Amino acid sequence: MSVVIIGGGQSALQVADSLRGNGYTEQITIVADEAGLPYQRPPLSKDFLSPQGTPKPLPLRGENFFSQKSIKLLDGVSATDIDRPNRQVALSNGNSLGYTHLVLATGARNRLIECPGSKLDGVHSLRTLDDVQDLHAALPAAKNVVVVGAGFIGLEFAAAARAHDCHVTVLEFAARPMARALSEPMSQWFAQAHRDLGVELRLNEGIERFEAAGGGEVMAAVSSTGQRYPADLVLVGVGVLPNVALAENAGLETSNGIVVDQCLRTSDPSIFALGDCANFPNVHSPGRTRLESVQNATDQARHLAGSILGDESPYADLPWFWSTQGPYRLQIAGLSQAGDDTLVLGDPRTAKFSVLCFRGEALAAVESVNLPADHLAARKLIGAGTRITRAEAEEAGFALKNRARVIAGAV
Amino acid sequence: MPSITFTQPDGTAQRLEVEQGTTLMRAAVSNGIDGIVGECGGQAMCATCHVYIRPEYADALPELGADEDEMLDCTAAERTERSRLGCQISTGASLPEIIVDIPAGQV
């Protein structure tokens, strides 16, 4: 018996931890392609980039975790091939590992843009500790920053660059920021909030090319509308692609990620996948989803450890997310969708409010700014399947927190 | 060097010496202290670094922030008047040593 886990992120470490926590005593090996102790990514685009921040990695688990729990960490090693008939994984160091259960926690990689100048010096992306150390070193001297993509990473970075007093332009080809993740009212509020922080947010405007200075470093960004923006530092944050090559080459089913069932099993019953790389049947939205978040990684990991040990229950945890952009803490419970009916609770002018998203007459998602109480209440309510209608939420004196207390009292 | 002592629910204690400015969460996670998770990386977003502060250190702590206060309502183990989030408390000149109790669960 043995479990091999491919990947060194939140989900990989949590699977190993939860297996041990559930009494699994056989061999566990983690194969992580980045060298060093696996670390937490969320602070990279937030605290680490603030003028007071230091890019000092926060390990996901301490070094002694691996010896104490008898978990073998192979860092700086990648998996190159899966031999399914013989249940063997080939490694980049020439060795191979046999498995009873294989866990694919291969994560995602940054989507690259292919335009003239995209490989110039000064054009950065942000995913790894190395990336953030480069950015941390470059920011104090940067004057004109151009961010391509108004997603979470792009806007977290834009706010950090403003805190360094840089002139910041954000180019977004969509009509509103964070359009994939946020409801229209919340997205519009953030557009204005970033403009108020001094960010020049250019919507419906993509990147056409980057221009180089004499030394080969980036000097300007030219947008799809022909506008030219001076730039001595560029961050490209245009989303990620799931790492599916290993699964695909092994003949596993993939479609926007590695396809898994409700127990997080792939089309091979001895191989599982989870986290950023997994496409799973989501009970909280119609059809299948692939989610990129800490919650998704760790909750799926706890569930997957159970699946390996024979638990057949379906994964059903409520998705939740967060982002910190300058002074604004955005927290999301559930998955909002285009076409949701929205209701704003609280006063957006105070930067403390929530957007409630209703689908089919019931509350499906809540997006909150600087209101953790609303967020936590929403997680409890939606997670418990409590039916809250728009009419109820519109009643005078309605508060998510009070409603959640009623639930807690009833249980 | 400042010191942090983590006491487990079964009474076993581990004392760590840490650099000035280290948060309780970072110290615990970096040193493999069981029972402190820190899933969000110290953003006061997940409430999985919940600790109970020994009363004798209460006066030396930074004031409870509004966000932290609200997040503490969501801890897995019961919230008491000694509850804080480990990511929001740093050791330093005003807090050269501290003893905290780890709750029975974080998730």
Side-chain angles (χ1 to χ4, degrees), chain B residues 9-64:
Chain B
D10 69 3
T12 52
Q14 287 158 284
R15 184 173 179 276
L16 303 176
E17 292 201 342
V18 299
E19 278 175 42
Q20 288 237 355
T22 306
T23 67
L24 301 186
M25 185 276 294
R26 179 182 280 272
V29 169
S30 305
N31 290 284
I33 302 286
D34 269 340
I36 303 281
V37 182
E39 214 155 68
C40 74
Q43 315 273 310
M45 291 284 186
C46 70
T48 61
C49 61
H50 177 204
V51 292
Y52 301 119
I53 308 285
R54 293 279 171 94
E56 57 268 36
Y57 301 99
D59 289 344
L61 299 181
E63 228 172 282
L64 183 66

Side-chain angles (χ1 to χ4, degrees), chain A residues 40 57 62 64 302 329 372-373, chain B residues 26 29 31 38-39 43-44 67 70:
Chain A
Q40 301 233 18
N64 54 359
R302 290 187 259 279
R329 290 159 59 89
Chain B
R26 179 182 280 272
V29 169
N31 290 284
E39 214 155 68
Q43 315 273 310
D67 288 341
E70 292 184 13

Side-chain angles (χ1 to χ4, degrees), chain A residues 333-344:
Chain A
L335 296 169
S336 68
Q337 277 175 28
D340 284 351
D341 181 23
T342 57
L343 172 70
V344 175

